[in-house]
Every structure is written in C-alpha cells, then in structure tokens.
Amino acid sequence: PLYYPGIYTTSVEMNDTTIHLELVCDENHINSVRLINLDEAVTTMYPLLTPALEDLELQLSLDVPPEELQLTEGSTYTQTILVEAIAQTLAKAEIPQ
C-alpha cells in the first residue's frame, strides 16, 4: 500500500485568501481532490481555481503521480499552487517505504 486510507486536508494561502483542499485516498489511489468551504468571493477572484483543480483531479484519478502532473496553459500559476497543496496533503497520507 502507498497510503493510509482516509480524508486529508490542507489550507493554502493565495494572496489574502485561504483555500482549503480535501484529498480522499484508499490504499493505492487518490480518489478525489476538491476545494472545501470555498467562498464565492474566492471563485470570483480566481475563476480558474475550480477548473484548474478538476483538470489535476482527472490526472490523479488516472494514477498520474503529483510530480508528473501536466499543467494547463493559462492556469500554470494556479495549478502550481494547487499541486504544492496536493503534495502537502498527500504527505500526510503516505506510508513510509
């Protein structure tokens, strides 16, 4: 197994805003990644946030490791922040090898 199954969260600062990322995994797969308690003002200020995460989540669901995720042109800044948050969250779930 790669991960301790469960739900893990991380908070990330984006300028003056805090976003909360939730990652759900089983022993060998990342099952979902989503933003929780997302304020409407945040989605207005960062309209690419949700689509950027959805693209990353799709890749993760296909078992692409976080360090190999392909960033979407036009969303690289947002996705870079999200990939760092995913990596921080996943570190909480990883079983030491």
Side-chain angles (χ1 to χ4, degrees), residues 22-75:
E22 177 186 87
L23 184 144
V24 179
C25 61
D26 61 27
E27 289 183 345
N28 298 304
H29 304 283
I30 297 169
N31 296 326
S32 71
V33 181
R34 65 187 188 113
L35 299 169
I36 52 174
N37 303 327
L38 194 58
D39 191 277
E40 193 175 311
V42 175
T43 56
T44 303
M45 198 177 340
Y46 301 104
L48 297 176
L49 198 56
T50 302
L53 184 63
E54 288 169 355
D55 180 59
L56 296 174
E57 181 185 31
L58 176 63
Q59 293 180 63
L60 291 166
S61 71
L62 298 171
D63 293 329
V64 174
E67 60 276 4
E68 294 177 21
L69 291 169
Q70 298 295 311
L71 304 183
T72 308
E73 192 173 329
S75 294

